[in-house]
Amino acid sequence: MILQFFVLSQRGDNIVYRDYRGEAQKGSAETFFRKVKFWKEDAEGDAPPVFNIDGVNYFHVKVAGLLFVATTRVNVSPSLVLELLQRIARVIKDYLGVLNEDSFRKNFVLVYELLDEVIDFGYVQTTSTEVLKSYVFNEPIVIDAARMPPLGAASIFMQGTKRMPGTAITKSVVANEPGGRKRDEIFVDVIEKISVTFNSSGFILTSEIDGTIQMKSYLSGNPEIRLALNEDLSIGTSDYRGSGAVILDDCNFHESVHLDSFDVDRTLSLVPPDGEFPVMNYRMTQPFKPPFRINALIEDTGSLKAEVTIKVRAEFNSSVNANTVLVQMPLPAFTARVNFELEPGAVGHTTDFKEANKILEWGLKKVVGGSEHTLRAKLTFSQELHGNIMKEAGPVSMTFTIPMYNASRLQVKYLQIAKKSKAHNPYRWVRYVTQANSYVARL
Amino acid sequence: MIWLDALEVDQRGVKGNQIWPLQLLIRRKCIPQISLSLHKQRRDLTVMAPPPPHSHRSPSPSQPSGKSEVSDLKSQLRQLAGSRAPGADDSKRDLFKKVISNMTIGIDVSSLFGEMVMCSATSDIVLKKMCYLYVGNYAKVNPDLALLTINFLQRDCKDEDPMIRGLALRSLCSLRVANLVEYLVGPLGSGLKDNNSYVRMVAVIGVLKLYHISASTCIDADFPATLKHLLLNDPDTQVVANCLSALQEIWTLESSTSEEAARERETLLSKPIVYYLLNRIKEFSEWAQCLVLELVSKYIPADNSEIFDIMNLLEDRLQHANGAVVLATIKVFLQLTLSMADVHQQVYERIKAPLLTQVSSGSPEQSYAVLSHLHLLVMRAPYIFSSDYKHFYCQYNEPSYVKKLKLEMLTAVANESNTYEIVTELCEYAANVDIPIARESIRAVGKIALQQYDVNAIVDRLLQFLEMEKDYVTSEALVLVKDLLRKYPQWSQDCIAVVGNISSKNVQEPKAKAALIWMLGEYSQDMHDAPYVLESLVENWDEEHSAEVRLHLLTAVMKCFFKRPPETQKALGAALAAGLADFHQDVHDRALFYYRLLQYNVSVAESVVNPPKQAVSVFADTQSSEIKDRIFDEFNSLSVVYQKPSYMFTDKEHRGTFEFADELGNLSVSAESGDSVVPAQRVEANDKDLLLGTSEKEEGRDPGSNGSIYNAPSYNGSAAPSTTSQPLADLAFPSTGISVQAPSSSLAIDDLLGLDFPSAAAAMPSPPPLNLNPKAVLDPGTFQQKWRQLPISLSEEYSLSPQGIATLTTPHTLLRHMQSHSIHCIASGGQSPNFKFFFFAQKAEAPSMYLVECIINTSSAKSQIKIKADDQSSSQAFSTLFQSALSKFGLP
């Protein structure tokens, strides 16, 4: 059972704080924050999501730059509490549309109202936005997403986490639109995070796709919907459906999903609850064509000098673009200066040498399918290198987002909504996006 | 909007203080910071923990009290209180929000209590909710005011809107004011019978709240029986789930005093209840499913067909998107099949894919929780996961706590067929930018080398590490090469060639330096310049800050001396002289010991310091299998994440329902034995800390942290200075000799030298009739467990001799003394005049243990003794023995 729930800003301020059992010690939020803050400074890396101080167990997840924290004294299931924290964040986001410090502060009465219904005396009651709708009466004060300041410091906070790409929908599930009626629509996002490791000769060592079919429904009247996937989809190697098929290693489904005809024709039927939720998570280790090829080279070019060449080739269709591409490479520890040399006519490229941790960064705003880009960097060292220079640098890592592309070839063939009337034709959005999770080329 | 309102409050609050125009100006310029600092200063006074009215800080100009704002609000609320005008509710909402926003930033608005209650006479539910929130915050510290609210809450409990009934009931039960308990029983009773499930849901938790305010009122009203009825009959699953939670908590707490409650708690695990819940499992919310599954994992089915029925029923829960449901299901599967080895193994195969999917979906935090469980399973059955090793490869952007787990898993699953790939991968991490992980990776390579038969290729890799010329890589690799040589002496030629090239000047880390020095001593025959390297190290004795290194240096010089006397003699002399002058007790002792040993007989000295060694076949595991089993039993709990059984990190009272089965066991035992014995006492929180301190040190997975071990209360070596005065012949056993030298760095040295600690204590024959085993061993975990389980068989008070009191300046003096009587200390602490010790002793010819808690007050010269014994019949004899030992303390 849960003693307390609180949300802290990056500075450690309490944004909301709820003591569910009246047993909590004073100052536990500060105790927690200090521990998290100093964990890193004590060179221990990030604080783990669960730790124990003086018999109190602290659980935390980072969402949108905020720390969602729960405490307990009993030996509970860590998965349960961490999952719950994520779910609370999701419920609040469903209500507020946008999750950030500002929206929290503007709506904290509503947030307290939600928290009182989600947990009672430390026991979870419900996290379903659908159910909560009938208990919660405050209306959200929606902040305008367009005027939202860029995440700024918050984005640094989120680095290194495998955060799901934010679906562009920042609409509250309960707030009425200024125009009056709510728009009847449903969003289905196929989100894939890909991990690839290339060895020094460009051969793929490991590759994996972690995918989610995410749904956010604003449909009125809770109609049943059917979602059809590739017919040749196989799950596990035991039910292989012919060559060229998409083979998933494993998958799991949201509670609301009925799998009655899934084995026959790969369709899922469900009555989508309100709010955002994953319909299906899947995992694939079947080889796939990686969207980018990376060639990286570092060579000695005389005493105290070396040259780095990084070549990136986009191996997808030219109708597709990759966004916010960032290539990073750790350089030898004695690197003092770096001179970059971009290819002529390069647009939207940025280069940087992060002195503090000796990392080279190359940002490409947009990469068109089929194109190839090269970066040369001349390094100057402050000291002579002894060992093998290849061992001193790398590996090259890459992050990117590619909208309307998915590496697994898993598809939503159709999305059917049980119609109430002829005139009723809700908007249906099916979108694909691929993100790099760990995309690494070794030297 | 609300936040801005709060800022206005600040401004106006300051305006009242016209004396400070200067500050007003400053304030206006930097309003955001001011409000922030205000927020910070008052963080301890946040909404849910409002300040008691008398303790609020005196208003100072820098901390606007918002007083004028509060009185403003007061008059506005008063105006609106009776208003029925259209739009009055909207204005009230705005006012209430202001009140609550003030409350959030820590301003005491309890003075508005009366007005708030007056305004709550409304049908607007938003208003009511805000009012409840307000009342809930201030009721506990203002019990008198809380009484004001009882009327309207009770009235609301009868409202026709079920939402209002539920909310009012929840608020009523949340007041937590003991003298209002009588007002709760009625509304709770009708709430449990309400025809609306929301109200019943709230009422069930309300019963639990009542139990915590006044257990007797709750029991007297017979609420538990009502909950039990609802558990089996309510159509709403959340009501059922709440009944289960509430009953588990109530009966667990009650069972410490009531047999009946213990039986009731047991019936929750009976077949009818478990089956009833299982059959409805899909109707429950995902969180309630976890609750039910946790209960089912404690259920003991009658036969195999029952087991398979349950498993078939729950099979599809493994495909649930919620990791908590999946893990709870896995726990059921694992627990049910424990006795069926082949099915148990099939379960491992079955759960692999769902676990891996859970690891890779969801947030990094969730995936960490699942990964910890996967880690546990991999450690238990590595062979089942050996073909999945690629899933345990680290991704460059993973947090280090994830990487650490993965490295351990990679180490565990390495076998003949995948070692090459795994070691290749690990070598990539050795050059990683994340230095702690790079170190772990090198250690992982070393561990794999130590567990493999064919280590050819790995040795080459390790030697390559030595040539990488990165300090930390060299350091880790040196330690590994040393361990490797202890297991595979046949590699010495290859390794020594490489190690010989490493300049000791480039090695700074104590552990690595110690390893290098050990190799120099051990292989001084084959390493041409070993004596000279050692000599130069001895010359820099004073610059060597680590005692561990100096200890090793002493031993290495000794070893080298026996092999190449003429070249080393000078260095040995210098080392012994430096050692004797060393300020560090252990270094000094060891030097003195070597010196006397050499004086006594050089060949005996050689057989002590440099005996023929056997290759180490298996390095000791860091965790006992008992602890591992215990963690496995606590699957799907924090124990798995912390890699510690729950008794090491939770107080007993908070172990809650998860400890269920264990305690049931205890209870039924004590019932059978006629209940004449004192019920097992809880180790006091204080003792617990003491013991925890030890066990954590013992469990610490890094045996190298010798600094802390020095202070560990489990002072094992019998290295009292007096040992040197004992006949030297005693010391001729190699093991005694060496272990005696090094109590301080026991683990590190022990590990290095491959010796089995703890070793001989100087045993003095104890008087009959009871003989104690001088070499008794008990790990702190077991001690703690026993201490909790056994009843107190004797409780006595002794007086101490004045000499004894005089000698007891630190706990160590007593425990050395007691050890000479074969009574060993497992934990000690305290400062003059109060000392506390935990001792244990073992019967010489039987496994029977005696556990003692001994509290000594030096000012009263009294000691209080509690003895617990496996064999209670002999505890009197032991007590006599203990007393006689204690009475000799301080006597020459």
Side-chain angles (χ1 to χ4, degrees):
Chain A
M1 79 206 119
I2 287 153
L3 278 188
Q4 296 157 282
F5 169 84
F6 47 89
V7 178
L8 299 183
S9 74
Q10 295 159 60
R11 296 179 304 275
D13 298 332
N14 270 352
I15 299 175
V16 286
Y17 173 93
R18 194 83 178 86
D19 175 359
Y20 282 110
R21 309 255 312 181
E23 299 167 11
Q25 281 161 343
K26 264 194 170 185
S28 44
E30 275 113 62
T31 312
F32 163 81
F33 190 71
R34 212 170 299 129
K35 191 85 176 175
V36 167
K37 207 170 141 218
F38 288 113
W39 210 288
K40 206 155 201 155
E41 289 169 24
D42 293 344
E44 297 278 334
D46 283 327
V50 190
F51 52 81
N52 181 305
I53 310 170
D54 299 333
V56 178
N57 302 296
Y58 293 84
F59 298 79
H60 75 278
V61 301
K62 285 176 199 162
V63 184
L66 302 169
L67 288 163
F68 286 67
V69 191
T71 67
T72 164
R73 279 184 173 274
V74 294
N75 191 14
V76 294
S77 158
S79 278
L80 188 137
V81 182
L82 292 168
E83 194 94 38
L84 175 67
L85 287 173
Q86 285 288 349
R87 209 61 70 77
I88 291 176
R90 199 200 287 164
V91 166
I92 295 175
K93 183 174 177 248
D94 281 345
Y95 266 85
L96 305 187
V98 180
L99 199 60
N100 63 19
E101 198 173 330
D102 192 30
S103 67
F104 254 99
R105 295 221 191 258
K106 285 206 164 73
N107 288 289
F108 72 89
V109 178
L110 168 62
V111 172
Y112 279 127
E113 204 183 347
L114 283 169
L115 291 176
D116 274 346
E117 300 296 342
V118 169
I119 299 173
D120 194 5
F121 207 53
Y123 291 104
V124 191
Q125 302 298 303
T126 181
T127 51
S128 151
T129 305
E130 183 91 15
V131 176
L132 285 166
K133 256 180 157 177
S134 53
Y135 303 152
V136 171
F137 299 93
N138 269 295
E139 290 220 346
I141 299 158
V142 180
I143 67 164
D144 189 351
R147 283 194 293 123
M148 249 169 62
L151 278 170
S155 58
I156 296 165
F157 217 63
M158 289 183 300
Q159 263 180 16
T161 66
K162 292 192 280 182
R163 202 174 65 96
M164 279 287 173
T167 42
I169 327 153
T170 52
K171 203 161 76 162
S172 163
V173 290
V174 288
N176 284 319
E177 302 215 339
R181 274 196 69 236
K182 277 168 71 176
R183 211 155 96 134
D184 230 8
E185 57 188 341
I186 182 165
F187 296 84
V188 177
D189 293 337
V190 179
I191 303 162
E192 295 190 344
K193 296 177 292 175
I194 58 175
S195 300
V196 180
T197 308
F198 300 95
N199 72 2
S200 50
S201 42
F203 172 77
I204 297 175
L205 286 172
T206 57
S207 65
E208 180 169 318
I209 299 175
D210 301 320
T212 300
I213 302 179
Q214 187 109 354
M215 193 177 272
K216 190 160 188 179
S217 160
Y218 297 91
L219 297 176
S220 59
N222 292 345
E224 180 172 337
I225 63 162
R226 289 170 70 78
L227 196 72
L229 306 177
N230 316 28
E231 278 186 30
D232 59 359
L233 185 73
S234 309
I235 293 156
T237 42
S238 52
D239 73 344
Y240 184 61
R241 301 198 173 190
S243 63
V246 176
I247 308 167
L248 305 181
D249 290 39
D250 186 49
C251 57
N252 60 37
F253 303 93
H254 187 262
E255 283 227 295
S256 61
V257 177
H258 293 284
L259 296 168
D260 306 336
S261 58
F262 185 71
D263 283 339
V264 186
D265 57 5
R266 296 304 186 210
T267 57
L268 308 168
S269 61
L270 67 153
V271 176
D274 284 338
E276 191 178 299
F277 67 99
V279 176
M280 171 181 170
N281 296 309
Y282 56 91
R283 182 166 56 81
M284 185 176 116
T285 49
Q286 180 194 24
F288 59 90
K289 192 176 173 193
F292 286 100
R293 286 275 169 186
I294 309 169
N295 281 310
L297 200 66
I298 181 163
E299 299 169 298
D300 279 315
T301 49
S303 77
L304 300 176
K305 278 196 173 80
E307 189 174 292
V308 173
T309 313
I310 305 175
K311 206 178 278 176
V312 168
R313 199 167 66 243
E315 303 217 302
F316 43 86
N317 198 297
S318 59
S319 63
V320 173
N321 298 330
N323 299 331
T324 55
V325 179
L326 182 68
V327 182
Q328 289 184 307
M329 177 174 164
L331 298 176
F334 298 131
T335 310
R337 241 186 16 251
V338 182
N339 291 321
F340 292 103
E341 200 179 291
L342 284 168
E343 59 201 2
V347 182
H349 290 207
T350 53
T351 53
D352 195 8
F353 170 55
K354 299 270 183 229
E355 186 91 46
N357 41 11
K358 309 288 179 194
I359 286 179
L360 170 160
E361 282 190 357
W362 176 26
L364 300 93
K365 211 166 177 187
K366 184 170 135 186
V367 176
V368 184
S371 63
E372 187 178 287
H373 300 278
T374 311
L375 173 76
R376 274 177 230 284
K378 292 192 160 59
L379 316 183
T380 313
F381 300 129
S382 58
Q383 274 184 48
E384 200 73 49
L385 287 181
H386 297 289
N388 182 349
I389 191 163
M390 301 289 265
K391 293 247 184 236
E392 299 278 329
V396 179
S397 62
M398 206 173 163
T399 56
F400 50 80
T401 305
I402 318 176
M404 299 326 283
Y405 172 89
N406 72 331
S408 70
R409 292 179 294 117
L410 179 106
Q411 276 184 311
V412 176
K413 292 281 184 198
Y414 62 83
L415 173 66
Q416 218 172 50
I417 304 173
K419 280 186 189 173
K420 281 178 290 187
S421 66
K422 275 243 155 82
H424 182 78
N425 201 4
Y427 294 91
R428 284 166 285 185
W429 311 93
V430 178
R431 307 181 294 188
Y432 296 89
V433 65
T434 292
Q435 274 204 325
N437 182 21
S438 163
Y439 207 84
V440 172
R442 290 177 177 157
L443 292 181
Chain B
M1 285 316 286
I2 297 160
W3 190 239
L4 286 176
D5 285 348
L7 295 180
E8 283 163 28
V9 174
D10 292 356
Q11 278 172 295
R12 263 178 281 159
V14 173
K15 257 184 199 161
N17 289 315
Q18 285 294 338
I19 336 149
W20 298 99
L22 183 67
Q23 263 195 320
L24 182 66
L25 273 175
I26 297 166
R27 183 167 296 282
R28 277 206 169 143
K29 266 186 186 161
C30 47
I31 281 161
Q33 287 91 326
I34 294 286
S35 77
L36 204 140
S37 72
L38 172 74
H39 189 68
K40 265 193 178 149
Q41 278 159 353
R42 303 238 172 152
R43 208 182 306 142
D44 52 333
L45 312 175
T46 31
V47 192
M48 299 305 138
H54 357 272
S55 76
H56 68 178
R57 300 166 193 192
S58 58
S60 73
S62 62
Q63 289 179 332
S65 67
K67 233 181 193 168
S68 62
E69 171 72 7
V70 173
S71 55
D72 261 14
L73 283 169
K74 197 173 183 124
S75 64
Q76 289 181 46
L77 280 169
R78 198 163 279 172
Q79 277 171 14
L80 279 171
S83 168
R84 293 265 181 274
D89 278 351
D90 285 344
S91 336
K92 279 188 198 169
R93 277 195 191 191
D94 286 344
L95 280 176
F96 274 33
K97 278 191 181 175
K98 280 184 191 167
V99 172
I100 289 174
S101 108
N102 275 322
M103 205 164 76
T104 307
I105 56 172
I107 293 173
D108 184 3
V109 285
S110 60
S111 58
L112 302 176
F113 212 101
E115 285 74 17
M116 289 292 282
V117 173
M118 281 200 290
C119 281
S120 66
T122 170
S123 54
D124 181 14
I125 197 157
V126 175
L127 268 181
K128 274 205 187 290
K129 281 195 135 181
M130 286 196 272
C131 188
Y132 296 148
L133 180 65
Y134 173 88
V135 168
N137 288 321
Y138 286 112
K140 197 177 180 184
V141 284
N142 297 309
D144 300 340
L145 293 175
L147 196 62
L148 284 177
T149 64
I150 290 283
N151 261 332
F152 91 83
L153 285 176
Q154 273 189 323
R155 199 174 53 237
D156 283 355
C157 284
K158 295 186 185 114
D159 198 282
E160 57 185 31
D161 182 348
M163 275 312 296
I164 294 188
R165 290 203 300 276
L167 288 168
L169 188 57
R170 182 185 293 157
S171 305
L172 195 60
C173 297
S174 302
L175 295 180
R176 287 174 206 154
V177 179
N179 57 13
L180 299 183
V181 159
E182 52 187 301
Y183 299 102
L184 297 186
V185 178
L188 269 179
S190 33
L192 291 171
K193 291 191 209 84
D194 202 288
N195 57 16
N196 184 283
S197 61
Y198 179 76
V199 182
R200 291 198 304 279
M201 201 173 96
V202 169
V204 173
I205 294 293
V207 168
L208 185 58
K209 290 175 185 165
L210 172 64
Y211 178 82
H212 281 273
I213 308 168
S214 165
S216 56
T217 315
C218 179
I219 304 287
D220 292 346
D222 213 17
F223 282 139
T226 318
L227 294 196
K228 198 177 166 189
H229 176 78
L230 285 177
L231 174 73
L232 293 173
N233 294 290
D234 203 283
D236 185 275
T237 47
Q238 193 54 43
V239 175
V240 173
N242 284 355
C243 285
L244 183 57
S245 307
L247 285 176
Q248 285 188 339
E249 205 178 318
I250 292 174
W251 280 335
T252 302
L253 290 167
E254 277 294 295
S255 63
S256 58
T257 51
S258 149
E259 281 283 320
E260 198 196 327
R263 268 195 302 279
E264 285 288 3
R265 197 174 60 161
E266 214 166 348
T267 58
L268 287 180
L269 282 172
S270 65
K271 188 165 170 176
I273 292 185
V274 168
Y275 271 50
Y276 174 77
L277 295 172
L278 269 179
N279 282 325
R280 297 181 68 179
I281 192 139
K282 278 167 208 165
E283 300 165 35
F284 285 94
S285 77
E286 48 202 315
W287 314 108
Q289 287 185 16
C290 296
L291 189 72
V292 172
L293 289 168
E294 184 60 39
L295 184 80
V296 175
S297 71
K298 305 269 192 263
Y299 171 69
I300 300 159
D303 53 42
N304 286 1
S305 72
E306 225 187 302
I307 293 177
F308 293 125
D309 283 349
I310 295 177
M311 286 171 66
N312 285 324
L313 183 75
L314 296 178
E315 165 70 23
D316 65 350
R317 298 295 93 190
L318 292 173
Q319 275 198 336
H320 202 288
N322 185 331
V325 174
V326 174
L327 282 175
T329 310
I330 289 176
K331 179 168 186 182
V332 173
F333 279 37
L334 290 171
Q335 292 291 335
L336 286 179
T337 57
L338 269 179
S339 56
M340 299 184 280
D342 48 339
V343 188
H344 195 65
Q345 181 149 344
Q346 285 166 17
V347 168
Y348 272 79
E349 295 285 356
R350 172 66 187 89
I351 63 184
K352 221 195 269 182
L355 273 175
L356 288 169
T357 308
Q358 288 293 344
V359 170
S360 53
S361 59
S363 68
E365 295 93 357
Q366 287 155 292
S367 99
Y368 168 68
V370 181
L371 193 70
S372 306
H373 286 83
L374 188 60
H375 174 268
L376 175 78
L377 297 175
V378 167
M379 292 307 180
R380 272 184 93 78
Y383 54 94
I384 294 179
F385 296 90
S386 57
S387 57
D388 303 290
Y389 62 92
K390 282 196 178 176
H391 289 291
F392 312 141
Y393 283 1
C394 298
Q395 294 176 349
Y396 80 100
N397 53 354
E398 280 171 332
S400 50
Y401 51 80
V402 167
K403 286 183 180 165
K404 267 183 196 156
L405 285 179
K406 287 193 164 179
L407 288 176
E408 285 178 27
M409 287 152 91
L410 278 176
T411 315
V413 299
N415 64 11
E416 282 108 276
S417 60
N418 60 22
T419 295
Y420 179 79
E421 279 90 355
I422 291 179
V423 172
T424 308
E425 181 75 12
L426 287 172
C427 291
E428 289 287 341
Y429 308 152
N432 203 303
V433 273
D434 183 352
I435 291 176
I437 291 303
R439 284 174 180 276
E440 292 281 349
S441 312
I442 298 168
R443 275 178 226 153
V445 173
K447 278 187 205 149
I448 292 175
L450 291 173
Q451 73 197 20
Q452 295 290 310
Y453 300 99
D454 176 28
V455 289
N456 254 317
I458 306 181
V459 174
D460 283 347
R461 300 275 176 84
L462 277 178
L463 296 179
Q464 277 170 23
F465 284 148
L466 286 179
E467 288 160 351
M468 258 172 76
E469 300 204 24
K470 286 194 182 183
D471 291 350
Y472 60 92
V473 176
T474 313
S475 298
E476 291 296 336
L478 271 176
V479 176
L480 284 177
V481 170
K482 177 258 307 176
D483 284 340
L484 206 66
L485 286 176
R486 290 172 57 202
K487 186 165 176 179
Y488 307 105
Q490 67 270 27
W491 289 103
S492 58
Q493 294 302 330
D494 301 68
C495 294
I496 282 160
V498 181
V499 171
N501 289 333
I502 294 173
S503 161
S504 62
K505 288 188 188 65
N506 294 340
V507 183
Q508 290 308 326
E509 286 172 39
K511 274 185 81 180
K513 208 164 183 178
L516 180 63
I517 290 171
W518 183 84
M519 286 187 270
L520 285 168
E522 194 65 28
Y523 299 98
S524 37
Q525 267 149 314
D526 310 312
M527 288 162 108
H528 178 69
D529 49 0
Y532 311 104
V533 177
L534 288 172
E535 190 172 338
S536 74
L537 285 166
V538 171
E539 277 164 20
N540 295 322
W541 186 275
D542 292 335
E543 281 139 50
E544 184 51 63
H545 297 294
S546 159
E548 183 189 3
V549 173
R550 298 201 299 275
L551 284 167
H552 275 277
L553 191 52
L554 270 175
T555 310
V557 175
M558 280 287 273
K559 285 181 186 167
C560 189
F561 171 74
F562 296 124
K563 287 167 187 154
R564 296 161 72 171
E567 291 160 284
T568 322
Q569 203 174 7
K570 191 176 146 220
L572 179 63
L576 287 175
L580 286 170
D582 203 283
F583 66 93
H584 195 277
Q585 189 68 47
D586 300 313
V587 179
H588 170 82
D589 286 356
R590 188 182 290 194
L592 188 66
F593 167 68
Y594 282 163
Y595 175 71
R596 300 221 167 127
L597 203 53
L598 287 168
Q599 241 181 353
Y600 172 75
N601 183 331
V602 175
S603 64
V604 169
E606 183 172 8
S607 70
V608 169
V609 178
N610 202 16
K613 284 185 204 47
Q614 278 187 335
V616 180
S617 57
V618 182
F619 283 88
D621 214 333
T622 43
Q623 232 171 19
S624 77
S625 61
E626 191 204 319
I627 284 181
K628 285 182 191 160
D629 286 346
R630 185 100 192 207
I631 296 173
F632 181 73
D633 285 342
E634 293 173 345
F635 193 87
N636 195 24
S637 77
L638 288 166
S639 313
V640 178
V641 174
Y642 298 153
Q643 301 184 8
K644 278 180 202 165
S646 60
Y647 68 80
M648 293 189 181
F649 62 89
T650 36
D651 312 329
K652 178 131 187 223
E653 70 235 62
H654 291 117
R655 231 161 283 156
T657 48
F658 294 86
E659 280 290 287
F660 238 92
D662 275 13
E663 283 178 320
L664 281 176
N666 287 350
L667 246 144
S668 48
V669 170
S670 68
E672 275 162 23
S673 64
D675 224 337
S676 58
V677 286
V678 191
Q681 293 258 317
R682 239 185 51 220
V683 185
E684 292 155 46
N686 205 8
D687 308 353
K688 213 154 162 85
D689 292 345
L690 250 176
L691 287 175
L692 265 182
T694 345
S695 49
E696 264 163 15
K697 273 165 198 154
E698 298 278 289
E699 299 306 332
R701 288 190 292 149
D702 179 11
S705 53
N706 51 326
S708 63
I709 283 162
Y710 184 61
N711 293 321
S714 58
Y715 194 87
N716 245 330
S718 54
S722 64
T723 31
T724 42
S725 66
Q726 284 179 7
L728 279 172
D730 272 359
L731 297 170
F733 314 128
S735 70
T736 325
I738 291 167
S739 61
V740 156
Q741 305 155 20
S744 70
S745 49
S746 58
L747 280 181
I749 303 236
D750 179 28
D751 191 20
L752 261 181
L753 300 182
L755 292 167
D756 240 356
F757 234 57
S759 66
M764 287 199 345
S766 316
L770 186 65
N771 279 319
L772 295 179
N773 176 6
K775 298 189 184 182
V777 186
L778 189 65
D779 70 280
T782 323
F783 182 93
Q784 229 171 329
Q785 211 179 346
K786 271 183 182 290
W787 186 260
R788 213 177 307 119
Q789 284 166 354
L790 291 170
I792 294 180
S793 56
L794 266 178
S795 184
E796 296 192 41
E797 197 174 281
Y798 308 147
S799 294
L800 260 79
S801 68
Q803 294 97 322
I805 295 298
T807 322
L808 189 64
T809 47
T810 69
H812 284 267
T813 52
L814 178 66
L815 53 99
R816 270 178 226 174
H817 168 78
M818 295 308 276
Q819 195 155 33
S820 66
H821 293 267
S822 302
I823 296 166
H824 307 268
C825 180
I826 194 141
S828 65
Q831 279 171 344
S832 187
N834 288 305
F835 294 93
K836 186 164 201 169
F837 302 86
F838 283 99
F839 292 103
F840 69 92
Q842 191 184 23
K843 249 190 193 173
E845 62 293 328
S848 167
M849 283 285 180
Y850 302 95
L851 313 182
V852 188
E853 181 200 84
C854 171
I855 300 167
I856 296 181
N857 185 305
T858 48
S859 55
S860 66
K862 288 269 193 299
S863 65
Q864 285 169 327
I865 313 289
K866 283 186 190 137
I867 296 174
K868 299 188 176 190
D870 284 333
D871 170 17
Q872 304 211 6
S873 60
S874 61
S875 48
Q876 188 57 54
F878 175 76
S879 165
T880 320
L881 197 79
F882 188 86
Q883 193 175 358
S884 92
L886 198 60
S887 64
K888 286 180 196 141
F889 180 50
L891 299 179

